[in-house]
Amino acid sequence: MRTSHSIAAALAAGFGLACAECGASSSFLYVTSYPPEGAVGKVTTLKLGDTGLESIGASEACGPYPSWLTQAGDILYCVDEAWPSPNGSVTSLKVGSDGLLTKLSSLPTLGGPVSTIVYGDGGRGLAVADYSGAGIQTFNIADPAAIAALQTEAFAVPADKRPSPQDQSRPHQALLDPTGDFLVFPDLGADLLRVFKVDKATLQYSESTPLEFDRGTGPRHAAFYTTESKTFLYIINELQNSVTGFAVAYNDDKTLGFQQVYNATTHGGTDPVPAGTAAAEIAISPDKKFLTLSSRLERSLTYTVANGTQVPSDPLITFSIDGETGVLTHVQTAPAGGVNPRHFSFNKDGSRVAVGLQADGRVVVFERDTATGKLGKTVAEADVPGMPNFVLFKE
Ligand SMILES: *[C@@H]1O[C@H](CO)[C@@H](O)[C@H](O)[C@H]1NC(C)=O
Ligand SMILES: *[C@@H]1O[C@H](CO)[C@@H](O)[C@H](O)[C@H]1NC(C)=O
Ligand SMILES: *[C@@H]1O[C@H](CO)[C@@H](O)[C@H](O)[C@H]1NC(C)=O
């Protein structure tokens, strides 16, 4: 028989509800990492509690190069980028009430997948962006313990073939628009936002008109932002180190319209970005008032680690969003906690931000002021073996 405690713990783990009996500020964070030399990468469970951030376990079930997690209830979908072997994989992992992961099911993918999104009626579909495989794939996840392949599509080499990474199509993220009717994929290699109309019932998709960028832009990741009457899309461009905002129009039931409303460097306006910089992640805060992005390999700031040593740091840069026009205004440039913040995420109420510092083997959790959008002091940090490239709160 389940005690009320175990039900509360299961609810807290599965649905992110507050759990008084689990400790006031305790939550789990899930981190994927590329492997240290000669080892395999892992999905690490970190527990954030009164004593700080500690690793309570690590799973090798995702394969050697885990690089992304998507949460659906008490299941995490993980992708193995499988560098440099041809086929990666998508794996479903069940989160136990103790925070540890158990492998349910796994299938090979086209090449090196880097991002997934749940779509379709009842969340029965999983769409995958495959960076090295130059394509996209969809899977039926109605039963997470029996993932089944649906559609696979590999894109042609762009007509204007350029040096790597623009020598081929490179879908870098899978996103679902706010209506759930369209899947979109920023393609860093082909300078496109690829758009697909979804049949929510059958999980099938069909190609729609893409949004084209100037050659050399390198769209990497994106974030939708909605107000009561408007939809905007912000795209972070890795090669150009810029952010472009669009007002999204639902022209008819098969295509999306995009009208540019904002374009600037990742530092805002025409503020220069240091040479060698590679823009990475972009996210809208849970309160929908701010946009934060990460910029890699700048080493333009410093961060003081727990032992008191000052280390070089890249920035997390925050902007406020004008909900009428979609225009961004710079709010803060803050240390990300080290070098190569490939990914960061907000907790549910936006009072914290967790960052994966891929070059430093560190995960840092910062306080965040939900009124100003500014990052504050460090809540906790932890060393994670290898190169942590993704971090997700599960409260
Ligand atoms: C494995 O990789 C090869 C080469 O990219 C590809 O042709 C094949 O379709 C992939 N297998 C699966 C199951 O996607
Ligand atoms: C957008 O801004 C970037 C950075 O200033 C600039 O290089 C690029 O030409 C602009 N693109 C458009 C389409 O305005
Ligand atoms: C302090 O931490 C940094 C970063 O983890 C590490 O490189 C350095 O060796 C540490 N210094 C001491 C004195 O422990």
Side-chain angles (χ1 to χ4, degrees):
M1 204 183 90
R2 295 190 101 172
T3 65
S4 64
H5 174 81
S6 72
I7 291 168
L11 284 172
F15 303 103
L17 301 181
C19 173
E21 294 167 84
C22 298
S25 61
S26 137
S27 58
F28 294 121
L29 285 87
Y30 291 90
V31 181
T32 61
S33 48
Y34 291 145
E37 191 77 38
V40 293
K42 291 180 182 168
V43 186
T44 302
T45 305
L46 298 177
K47 188 178 183 194
L48 180 61
D50 300 336
T51 54
L53 195 57
E54 27 169 0
S55 170
I56 60 164
S59 167
E60 294 182 2
C62 183
Y65 280 79
S67 63
W68 185 271
L69 295 168
T70 292
Q71 178 179 337
D74 61 355
I75 307 292
L76 295 178
Y77 292 93
C78 182
V79 290
D80 171 24
E81 206 176 330
W83 191 255
S85 79
N87 296 101
S89 60
V90 55
T91 298
S92 52
L93 302 165
K94 173 138 177 99
V95 180
S97 56
D98 56 3
L100 300 180
L101 303 172
T102 311
K103 179 173 174 173
L104 294 181
S105 172
S106 185
L107 274 187
T109 55
L110 199 53
V114 289
S115 162
T116 61
I117 192 86
V118 172
Y119 75 99
D121 288 342
R124 292 172 299 117
L126 189 76
V128 179
D130 203 309
Y131 184 80
S132 73
I136 60 171
Q137 274 180 296
T138 50
F139 294 89
N140 187 320
I141 54 166
D143 178 359
I147 301 174
L150 291 171
Q151 281 169 276
T152 295
E153 193 149 338
F155 303 118
V157 172
D160 175 12
K161 182 176 163 171
R162 290 159 59 103
S164 180
Q166 296 206 304
D167 54 335
Q168 62 167 59
S169 161
R170 295 197 184 271
H172 211 306
Q173 190 182 17
L175 294 109
L176 190 65
D177 87 304
T179 67
D181 285 323
F182 293 90
L183 283 166
V184 304
F185 302 81
D187 186 331
L188 187 149
D191 287 316
L192 294 173
L193 180 77
R194 297 187 184 269
V195 180
F196 298 85
K197 177 71 201 298
V198 170
D199 183 327
K200 292 180 185 176
T202 66
L203 304 177
Q204 297 290 303
Y205 63 78
S206 53
E207 191 157 4
S208 180
T209 313
L211 170 64
E212 295 180 22
F213 293 81
D214 291 343
R215 208 68 182 113
T217 303
R220 173 187 170 98
H221 281 188
F224 281 100
Y225 164 73
T226 52
T227 66
E228 268 174 27
S229 57
K230 291 177 178 164
T231 301
F232 296 101
L233 178 68
Y234 297 93
I235 304 194
I236 190 163
N237 304 304
E238 175 174 339
L239 303 182
Q240 194 176 65
N241 290 293
S242 61
V243 174
T244 314
F246 298 92
V248 179
Y250 291 84
N251 292 335
D252 51 51
D253 67 352
K254 292 194 186 69
T255 57
L256 294 178
F258 299 96
Q259 191 204 341
Q260 187 176 310
V261 295
Y262 177 82
N263 180 63
T265 76
T266 48
H267 286 228
T270 54
D271 290 1
V273 174
T277 296
E281 193 51 89
I282 186 167
I284 307 286
S285 61
D287 54 48
K288 294 185 171 186
K289 292 195 191 114
F290 300 96
L291 178 153
T292 297
L293 61 85
S294 71
S295 181
R296 297 175 294 177
L297 309 177
E298 294 194 13
R299 297 180 171 84
S300 48
L301 305 171
T302 57
Y303 173 73
T304 306
V305 293
N307 69 15
T309 307
Q310 289 215 327
V311 297
S313 179
D314 291 331
L316 289 189
I317 306 173
T318 297
F319 301 84
S320 60
I321 311 171
D322 182 323
E324 275 303 307
T325 63
V327 171
L328 304 181
T329 303
H330 179 266
V331 164
Q332 184 196 34
T333 297
V339 177
N340 200 342
R342 177 179 167 124
H343 184 259
F344 64 87
S345 54
F346 298 100
N347 67 343
K348 199 152 281 180
D349 70 7
S351 62
R352 286 170 177 175
V353 176
V355 195
L357 287 319
Q358 188 179 318
D360 290 1
R362 184 183 309 116
V363 167
V364 180
V365 178
F366 290 102
E367 276 180 5
R368 179 175 175 277
D369 183 327
T370 53
T372 65
K374 290 184 180 174
L375 269 61
K377 59 180 202 292
T378 301
V379 174
E381 64 186 46
D383 291 338
V384 172
M387 294 168 257
N389 53 29
F390 184 99
V391 54
L392 174 80
F393 277 97
K394 199 164 191 320
E395 293 157 280

